[in-house]
Amino acid sequence: MGVLDERKLVAREKRNSTITAYYGQVENLREDLEVSEIRQRIRTFSQTTSDELIVALDLLSTIQDIAVVVHGATGCSASMIGYQFRNARQFKKDGAISSDRSTWYSTNLDERDTIMGGDEKLRVVIERAYYDHKPNVIFVVGTCVVAINNDDMTSVVLELQEELEIPIIVIDTDGFKSKAGINGSDIVLHGIGKYLISQNATNKQIRQVNIISTTLNYKTKKELHRIFDKLGLKANVIPRYATIDEIQKANKSIASMALNGEEAEVLLQGLEEIGIPTITAQAPIGTPAISKWLNELGKHLEIQDEIEIFIREEEKNVQSYIASQPLKGEKVYIDLPASLATSIVELVEDLGGEVVGITIPFVDVSNQECLKNLKKEAYIQVGNGQLFELANIFSKSQVTFYIAEKANGDFVSKQGVIPIPIGNKNIFFYQGIKTFVNSIHRAKRSVSYTRYISEEAVNPYANTWTKKSTNWYIKQEVK
């Protein structure tokens, strides 16, 4: 059975043997992933982190011309306020649909609904979302409250789908199916593939390549379009910041690729099932990885000559940035998803730096290849948002720079480490090298500030904790 044939997507832990708690050498982690039954670990103490519901809402907030109905208590949809504000100006700047008005709703379940069920409220809110906005698609997102009261969202949706005559897609998240937050975007990709792409399958192909991403920003999207235009191709970047029309046209593409393979695997697999092949390549960060990514594209589309000319032209423009060696003699800590971290390690070393540690939010069997690119004796932490473990690591290592999507500037500076946030920047392809180097130079100017902050700060963690081993609270799971 194909992934898009499944009514509900199997959680990451069961599907890919995902690990979300680990600290130790890369060599031991590789061994763990090679056994038939993964040795799962748990944290007996854990700080808060984004769950699958938060990640699903983040992704859905970026898709244009839809309405989102969050079926749960009002607080379950609170994150949408921030996401809506973040996206509104960018949508307008891109000439997209107006985002002045809210395109998300909450069914506002109360204590009584938790016991008696909230089917009727769900029906009313879906109808209101439709008649208020006339969206192309409505997504109904489940929450932990629904998992408790066992509401049958699917029956309500099937009933209304016939009446309203638009796709209404159930995103069956509840916040505790998986310890890996990325499971939320997996469920969204599954719904998109099953109900918006595969059901409109077509044999008509155009010179277009799907670029699947759930986390890229507008700057990266703009760079992708620049590169593909120069190569005489069309990049169909989905689903983040895409329209429903762009998503539905994915079945007309001649191939699919990803910037970060681990976040796109559900949709890549689904597209393969309807006849669109996947081009696999390492995340295009740093000249070697960029060259490999583009060459894989060139081989598949038989445009190797055009690719070689493009690579030569673009590499000339970044040689001076790499030659400047802005990280020479500096110790760097990386906190990024595994496939991105692997490429960033190579770029940091090309720029003269030394990577002294890595944090990744999760790891699974799909990451086995990228782990081979890391030194086997290197130490790696697996976990998302566990700042207390980072504080322990920093107390034992001389780290100068901390590179992450969200660099937790206040916390990191108090540890005497200079943060370099890259989540709102384009770090991919050749323009990404320039941006990354410029970010390093900018960060270097804050050395005095970081030193002052760290000297004056009150450490929230006791000395007794920093003297313990980093994996003190990570234990073997007992079944």
Side-chain angles (χ1 to χ4, degrees):
M1 180 184 288
V3 67
L4 298 185
D5 294 324
E6 298 173 354
R7 191 174 73 85
K8 290 185 180 181
L9 187 68
V10 178
R12 274 249 171 185
E13 282 84 347
K14 292 183 179 178
R15 196 174 76 248
N16 286 354
S17 300
T18 300
I19 295 172
T20 54
Y22 177 84
Y23 181 76
Q25 290 183 307
V26 171
E27 182 179 25
N28 295 332
L29 183 57
R30 285 183 199 159
E31 291 174 359
D32 277 8
L33 292 172
E34 288 171 359
V35 299
S36 56
E37 187 174 350
I38 298 293
R39 291 173 284 185
Q40 281 289 355
R41 296 169 177 80
I42 59 171
R43 281 185 171 84
T44 54
F45 172 79
S46 177
Q47 287 183 263
T48 185
T49 184
S50 296
D51 62 16
E52 62 181 16
L53 173 60
I54 298 294
V55 174
L57 292 178
D58 179 15
L59 176 56
L60 288 171
S61 74
T62 66
I63 301 175
Q64 299 176 43
D65 49 41
I66 68 169
V68 177
V69 174
V70 183
H71 189 35
T74 305
C76 295
S77 58
S79 63
M80 292 296 278
I81 299 171
Y83 297 147
Q84 196 77 15
F85 177 77
R86 175 195 65 192
N87 299 329
R89 286 182 297 175
Q90 191 62 61
F91 281 163
K92 285 183 181 179
K93 191 186 295 184
D94 249 38
I97 60 170
S98 171
S99 293
D100 286 338
R101 295 182 301 165
S102 170
T103 52
W104 57 272
Y105 293 79
S106 169
T107 52
N108 190 22
L109 300 183
D110 55 24
E111 291 91 339
R112 184 180 185 282
D113 301 321
T114 305
I115 298 169
M116 304 301 293
D119 288 0
E120 188 54 37
K121 278 190 174 180
L122 178 60
R123 184 176 287 102
V124 169
V125 174
I126 291 175
E127 288 178 338
R128 181 181 169 187
Y130 175 76
Y131 290 112
D132 279 357
H133 296 286
K134 296 292 173 61
N136 289 336
V137 178
I138 295 175
F139 287 88
V140 179
V141 183
T143 63
C144 55
V145 178
V146 177
I148 293 168
N149 69 10
N150 205 28
D151 275 358
D152 188 357
M153 295 187 294
T154 303
S155 295
V156 175
V157 162
L158 289 174
E159 210 176 289
L160 286 172
Q161 200 158 238
E162 291 183 15
E163 178 188 326
L164 303 179
E165 297 183 338
I166 65 165
I168 305 175
I169 301 172
V170 173
I171 304 300
D172 193 21
T173 54
D174 56 30
F176 48 76
K177 272 194 181 72
S178 169
K179 291 186 176 72
I182 194 174
N183 196 62
S185 58
D186 286 347
I187 297 171
V188 174
L189 292 181
H190 180 261
I192 285 171
K194 185 176 181 68
Y195 298 107
L196 296 181
I197 299 176
S198 69
Q199 292 193 357
N200 295 288
T202 175
N203 292 324
K204 184 181 178 182
Q205 291 188 325
I206 57 178
R207 202 164 175 73
Q208 168 183 283
V209 178
N210 296 320
I211 306 296
I212 315 298
S213 179
T214 63
T215 57
L216 63 65
N217 55 49
Y218 258 94
K219 293 171 185 174
T220 302
K221 184 176 180 179
K222 186 177 179 181
E223 177 65 1
L224 274 163
H225 286 307
R226 181 189 76 83
I227 291 170
F228 275 66
D229 287 347
K230 204 163 183 179
L231 294 171
L233 303 169
K234 179 177 173 54
N236 188 38
V237 186
I238 60 171
R240 196 169 180 87
Y241 294 116
T243 64
I244 292 299
D245 183 57
E246 288 170 333
I247 291 171
Q248 290 179 323
K249 284 181 179 176
N251 55 42
K252 296 181 180 179
S253 299
I254 51 179
S256 300
M257 293 188 80
L259 298 180
N260 177 0
E262 60 199 2
E263 70 179 19
E265 54 117 359
V266 171
L267 193 49
L268 288 173
Q269 186 178 335
L271 287 167
E272 281 194 322
E273 290 168 7
I274 61 172
I276 300 171
T278 297
I279 305 173
T280 305
Q282 184 182 339
I285 302 172
T287 51
I290 297 169
S291 180
K292 289 176 187 175
W293 196 94
L294 289 170
N295 277 315
E296 288 300 323
L297 175 68
K299 285 177 193 173
H300 186 86
L301 303 184
E302 298 182 346
I303 54 169
Q304 292 98 321
D305 292 341
E306 292 93 325
I307 291 289
E308 285 179 17
I309 292 169
F310 176 78
I311 290 173
R312 282 200 300 270
E313 289 176 355
E314 294 285 320
E315 285 190 349
K316 284 179 186 175
N317 296 327
V318 298
Q319 284 175 358
S320 61
Y321 286 83
I322 296 171
S324 67
Q325 295 283 284
L327 290 175
K328 188 173 183 180
E330 305 288 6
K331 296 185 185 246
V332 179
Y333 195 93
I334 296 170
D335 186 349
L336 290 167
S339 56
L340 301 188
T342 303
S343 293
I344 282 281
V345 167
E346 293 180 5
L347 179 56
V348 165
E349 290 173 349
D350 284 346
L351 296 174
E354 177 191 353
V355 177
V356 296
I358 300 169
T359 288
I360 57 178
F362 66 90
V363 65
D364 56 38
V365 292
S366 68
N367 301 128
Q368 286 177 309
E369 283 303 311
C370 69
L371 287 179
K372 290 177 182 177
N373 296 328
L374 300 175
K375 295 176 183 176
K376 63 181 182 180
E377 66 275 9
Y379 275 82
I380 189 167
Q381 179 212 22
V382 179
N384 190 19
Q386 306 308 310
L387 298 183
F388 76 104
E389 290 180 357
L390 275 179
N392 183 291
I393 293 168
F394 289 159
S395 72
K396 295 175 170 64
S397 308
Q398 291 182 334
V399 180
T400 308
F401 294 106
Y402 169 76
I403 300 168
E405 289 180 351
K406 298 175 183 177
N408 302 301
D410 183 55
F411 162 78
V412 173
S413 296
K414 286 179 180 178
Q415 309 302 314
V417 179
I418 302 170
I420 303 180
I422 59 174
N424 63 345
K425 300 179 177 71
N426 169 44
I427 58 165
F428 296 96
F429 301 106
Y430 298 102
Q431 185 59 45
I433 295 174
K434 297 179 183 179
T435 302
F436 186 63
V437 170
N438 289 334
S439 297
I440 294 167
H441 288 307
R442 195 176 302 114
K444 280 185 169 182
R445 293 197 288 269
S446 65
V447 172
S448 298
Y449 170 78
T450 302
R451 187 179 298 121
Y452 172 77
I453 291 291
S454 63
E455 288 172 355
E456 297 296 320
V458 177
N459 194 335
Y461 305 108
N463 290 334
T464 51
W465 162 239
T466 55
K467 289 176 182 176
K468 286 184 169 65
S469 60
T470 305
N471 61 356
W472 182 266
Y473 291 103
I474 299 175
K475 309 297 182 186
Q476 191 84 34
E477 186 178 42
V478 178
K479 294 184 178 179

